């Protein structure tokens, strides 16, 4: 995944390089952290307000927190994601009213509420959405992210955020909540995937009764598993990752083949 760094005005400086780690959270803390060697950071010129993003995705935000730890020779660069910024803006009821109540086309309502709160950094899609809101009542003093999410869910939609590289803005829009099968939506499935490649497949075997003193054999064992198709995993996952060994299924059958190749 290509990560681009741009200055506070959106002028792209190139790909983010010289980093040791990049963490971004779009569901809990709504922030990101970049870890860089102190020497690389000093030479980079990265500073507050700079934008970090993956084009045409939600992954990105602006730098608002820089920590230098000289004992580790590390710089920690942090900031809010686009969604995290929305969570720091409050939807306030009109003067004299207890609640904000809106009726109209979804994008138009969002544009009116966002206004100039983020300058030219975050904007709402200029197109007309497929969703009409009818007298939706926002929770009192909710955040924009909470309010937009709940409003769109009331008409079967979700809040989508992407960074438009051409416009130099994070764009908000309404989109359908996709349902995969009868049970799952794309907002309900959470995966933890681990690719483990530190296993042992060679053993050094000493046979006291067979091999002369000081001799040894090298044995390699392999395990092969086959599984029947299962309906637990939605078909849409199969194109980008293999999950056949990640879900228990009573139809699964194992075939264990042990191949021993011993050499003295």
């Amino acid at each position: 995944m290509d990560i681009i760094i741009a200055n506070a005005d959106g002028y792209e400086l190139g790909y983010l390089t010289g980093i040791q780690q990049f963490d971004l959270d779009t569901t809990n803390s709504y922030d990101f952290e970049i870890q860089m060697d102190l020497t690389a950071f000093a030479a980079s010129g990265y500073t507050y307000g700079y934008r970090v993003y993956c084009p045409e995705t939600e992954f990105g935000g602006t730098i608002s927190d820089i920590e230098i730890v000289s004992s580790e020779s590390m710089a920690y660069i942090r900031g809010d994601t686009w969604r995290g910024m929305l969570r720091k803006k409050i939807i306030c009821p009109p003067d004299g009213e207890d609640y904000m109540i809106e009726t109209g086309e979804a994008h138009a309502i969002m544009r009116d509420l966002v206004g100039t709160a983020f300058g030219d950094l975050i904007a709402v899609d200029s197109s007309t959405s497929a969703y009409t809101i009818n007298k939706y009542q926002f929770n009192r003093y909710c955040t924009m992210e909470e309010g937009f999410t709940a409003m769109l869910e009331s008409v079967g939609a979700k809040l989508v955020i992407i960074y438009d590289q051409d416009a130099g803005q994070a764009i908000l829009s309404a989109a359908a909540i996709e349902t995969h099968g009868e049970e799952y939506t794309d907002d309900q499935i959470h995966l933890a995937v681990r690719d483990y490649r530190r296993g042992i497949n060679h053993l050094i075997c000493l046979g006291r009764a067979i091999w002369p003193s000081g001799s040894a054999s090298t044995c390699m064992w392999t395990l092969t598993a086959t599984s029947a198709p299962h309906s637990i995993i939605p078909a849409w996952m199969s194109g980008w990752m293999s999950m056949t060994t990640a879900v228990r299924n009573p139809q699964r059958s194992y075939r264990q083949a042990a191949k021993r190749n011993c050499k003295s």
Side-chain angles (χ1 to χ4, degrees):
M1 183 179 292
D2 294 329
I3 306 170
I4 293 176
I5 184 81
N7 66 17
D9 295 322
Y11 179 79
E12 293 187 351
L13 305 176
Y15 294 115
L16 189 62
T17 59
I19 65 174
Q20 297 192 9
Q21 187 168 318
F22 177 75
D23 294 320
L24 185 144
D25 189 330
T26 60
T27 58
N28 293 302
S29 59
Y30 302 95
D31 59 7
F32 66 88
E33 179 182 89
I34 302 167
Q35 297 181 19
M36 292 185 69
D37 175 82
L38 198 53
T39 302
F41 170 71
S44 70
Y46 301 160
T47 189
Y48 299 103
Y50 274 33
R51 307 176 187 183
V52 178
Y53 53 86
C54 299
E56 308 307 318
T57 76
E58 184 175 333
F59 306 136
T62 61
I63 297 173
S64 57
D65 176 8
I66 299 174
E67 179 183 7
I68 304 298
V69 182
S70 60
S71 62
E72 301 175 5
S73 295
M74 291 291 294
Y76 297 89
I77 306 166
R78 306 182 183 99
D80 295 316
T81 62
W82 316 122
R83 195 174 291 264
M85 295 179 198
L86 292 176
R87 291 176 66 85
K88 292 185 175 180
K89 296 294 184 180
I90 303 299
I91 297 177
C92 298
D95 291 342
E97 301 291 337
D98 293 327
Y99 294 93
M100 171 72 76
I101 300 175
E102 292 283 358
T103 295
E105 188 271 319
H107 285 175
I109 292 173
M110 292 164 61
R111 275 195 298 272
D112 182 57
L113 293 175
V114 169
T116 59
F118 304 98
D120 62 355
L121 184 61
I122 298 177
V124 179
D125 195 313
S126 60
S127 68
T128 300
S129 75
Y131 305 98
T132 300
I133 307 300
N134 183 29
K135 295 182 179 179
Y136 180 80
Q137 178 178 290
F138 290 93
N139 290 336
R140 285 171 54 82
Y141 300 99
C142 63
T143 69
M144 281 189 182
E145 193 272 339
E146 293 167 340
F148 291 167
T149 298
M151 180 187 74
L152 294 175
E153 284 181 350
S154 72
V155 291
K158 65 179 179 180
L159 176 64
V160 172
I161 306 173
I162 65 166
Y163 190 88
D164 187 322
Q165 193 172 14
D166 294 331
Q169 292 178 304
I171 303 296
L172 314 183
S173 63
I177 297 176
E178 299 178 14
T179 301
H180 306 285
E182 298 180 356
E183 298 182 50
Y184 303 101
T185 68
D186 54 2
D187 291 333
Q188 294 175 326
I189 297 176
H190 304 281
L191 301 176
V193 180
R194 181 178 180 181
D195 186 356
Y196 184 89
R197 304 188 182 188
R198 293 187 291 148
I200 297 172
N201 68 348
H202 286 72
L203 299 176
I204 304 300
C205 305
L206 296 177
R208 182 174 56 183
I210 300 175
W211 302 100
S213 176
S215 297
S217 64
T218 301
C219 300
M220 182 174 73
W221 295 77
T222 60
L223 176 66
T224 303
T226 59
S227 59
H230 44 72
S231 60
I232 295 178
I233 300 173
W236 60 273
M237 288 185 180
S238 60
W240 61 275
M241 67 183 301
S242 174
M243 296 286 289
T244 56
T245 60
V247 179
R248 293 183 179 178
N249 191 294
Q251 299 180 31
R252 173 180 293 177
S253 63
Y254 283 100
R255 173 169 51 85
Q256 179 173 330
K259 180 172 63 177
R260 176 161 46 188
N261 180 15
C262 300
K263 297 180 181 179
S264 58

